[in-house]
């Protein structure tokens, strides 16, 4: 099957090819677009969402970093070999556009994970804040919604949590794997290990302190919560989260001045990167 095989560029992932093949095809189309300007911004974001989803599927299927790197090189080389005005590239680009016609109507999508799902919503919301990409988590003594939230435009990374005992955390931080100290994810006893076992030891972590704290607004608070606190994390934290292995976990740590000093809620990385790219498609 040729590198520009259109079926492999369709969204969602086609069952006819393996996830690494899909990743190669979509990365090749992305590279060709960067060189030849094939697509508009919305289609470019849709293709990127599919590319990232295929990459994560390949990782879950057992592809190692070296295989992913080879796939990247193969895809870029294929894009470089094709002339921008070639029939094969024009045909592949036309098929991508045709596939996008259906996908562009999608306003909400759920990205399933091994332990938790990401819910993505790119509908127009006017002046109302809403969750754009969210995952629910339960932890000892509380519940949390974590993800990207905001009005139309660029959402911010938030953790919204309620605590059964009514205590108020004075701060929060996001703990993730430091890729400079740990090149591979910690997966505990296997891919199905509890999320707490997929967070690296403290020496291999990087933390992001929340930039702001406020009482949770009713527009973001789920019906299961009557009150809560919202913490906003820096944009760099969202970018870092998007680069992690989909099988690993991160932790939101809520800090208290008395009693139990730290309470942790774990989040599965999953298809956060694909969901974030999905949100870049402008709602029409």
């Amino acid at each position: 099957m040729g590198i520009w095989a259109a079926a492999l560029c369709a969204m969602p992932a086609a069952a006819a090819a393996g996830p690494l093949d899909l990743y190669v095809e979509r990365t090749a189309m992305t590279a060709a677009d960067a060189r030849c300007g094939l697509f508009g911004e919305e289609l470019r974001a849709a293709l990127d969402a599919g590319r990232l989803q295929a990459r994560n599927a390949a990782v879950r299927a057992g592809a190692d970093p070296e295989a992913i790197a080879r796939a990247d090189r193969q895809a870029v080389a294929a894009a470089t070999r094709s002339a921008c005005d070639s029939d094969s590239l024009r045909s592949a680009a036309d098929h991508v556009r045709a596939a996008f016609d259906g996908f562009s109507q999608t306003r909400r999508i759920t990205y399933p994970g091994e332990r938790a799902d990401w819910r993505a919503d790119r509908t127009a919301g006017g002046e109302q804040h809403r969750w754009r990409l969210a995952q629910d988590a339960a932890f000892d003594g509380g519940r949390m919604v974590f993800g990207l939230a905001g009005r139309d435009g660029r959402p911010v990374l938030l953790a919204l949590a309620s605590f059964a005992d009514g205590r108020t955390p004075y701060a929060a931080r996001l703990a993730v794997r430091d890729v400079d100290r740990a090149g591979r994810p910690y997966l505990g006893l296997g891919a199905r290990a509890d999320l707490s076992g997929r967070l690296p030891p403290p020496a291999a972590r990087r933390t992001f302190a929340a930039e702001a704290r406020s009482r949770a607004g009713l527009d973001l608070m789920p019906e299961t919560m009557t009150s809560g606190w919202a913490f906003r994390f820096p944009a760099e934290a969202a970018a870092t989260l998007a680069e992690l292995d989909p099988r690993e976990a991160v932790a939101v740590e809520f800090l208290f001045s008395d009693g139990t000093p730290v309470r942790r809620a774990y989040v599965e990385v999953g298809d956060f990167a694909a969901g974030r790219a999905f949100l870049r498609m402008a709602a029409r």
Side-chain angles (χ1 to χ4, degrees):
M1 185 173 292
I3 193 68
W4 304 119
L8 300 185
C9 293
M11 289 186 212
L20 192 57
D21 296 324
L22 283 168
Y23 177 66
V24 171
E25 297 288 343
R26 291 170 179 174
T27 300
M29 289 303 300
T30 299
D33 173 52
R35 189 166 64 89
C36 303
L38 301 172
F39 310 124
E41 289 298 323
E42 190 170 3
L43 179 51
R44 189 168 293 127
L47 181 60
D48 192 40
R51 181 183 68 85
L52 293 168
Q53 190 176 16
R55 180 191 185 282
N56 286 348
V59 170
R60 292 186 181 106
D64 60 26
E66 289 76 14
I68 297 291
R70 285 195 301 272
D72 283 328
R73 292 192 295 270
Q74 178 185 353
V76 173
T80 302
R81 286 196 300 267
S82 291
C84 291
D85 59 352
S86 68
D87 290 341
S88 60
L89 182 54
R90 277 202 304 267
S91 177
D94 287 343
H95 281 287
V96 171
R97 294 186 189 96
F100 176 73
D101 282 343
F103 189 67
S104 65
Q105 304 304 313
T106 302
R107 297 289 182 265
R108 298 182 179 89
I109 189 170
T110 297
Y111 293 93
E114 295 172 354
R115 293 299 180 100
D117 300 340
W118 286 104
R119 305 182 306 278
D121 182 349
R122 67 182 189 94
T123 57
E127 293 301 311
Q128 184 180 14
H129 287 86
R130 67 171 64 194
W131 288 103
R132 298 297 180 179
L133 183 64
Q135 184 177 134
D136 299 322
F139 58 96
D140 187 20
R143 298 190 61 82
M144 179 184 74
V145 184
F146 178 83
L148 298 173
R151 300 187 181 96
D152 292 344
R154 183 174 298 176
V156 296
L157 188 65
L158 291 180
L160 189 157
S162 66
F163 305 92
D165 57 8
R167 292 177 61 209
T168 301
Y170 68 85
R173 63 196 179 205
L174 178 66
V176 306
R177 174 170 59 95
D178 187 332
V179 297
D180 293 328
R181 298 181 183 179
R184 290 181 176 269
Y186 285 71
L187 301 178
L189 298 177
R192 298 296 298 176
D194 184 83
L195 290 181
S196 63
R198 303 191 203 180
L199 187 71
R205 296 177 195 170
R206 179 185 182 187
T207 59
F208 295 91
E211 296 177 320
R213 182 194 71 166
S214 64
R215 287 194 177 275
L218 294 177
D219 47 359
L220 292 180
M221 199 155 44
E223 294 180 356
T224 55
M225 292 184 187
T226 57
S227 64
W229 290 91
F231 293 87
R232 188 187 75 228
F233 294 96
E236 185 185 2
T240 299
L241 183 59
E243 295 296 324
L244 296 177
D245 189 295
R247 299 167 296 176
E248 64 185 302
V250 300
V252 180
E253 300 178 331
F254 300 100
L255 311 181
F256 297 86
S257 58
D258 59 359
T260 303
V262 180
R263 297 185 188 181
R264 289 184 184 87
Y266 294 94
V267 175
E268 182 178 336
V269 172
D271 281 320
F272 177 83
R276 186 166 169 252
F278 175 79
L279 297 183
R280 291 199 291 269
M281 297 162 55
R284 295 190 300 182

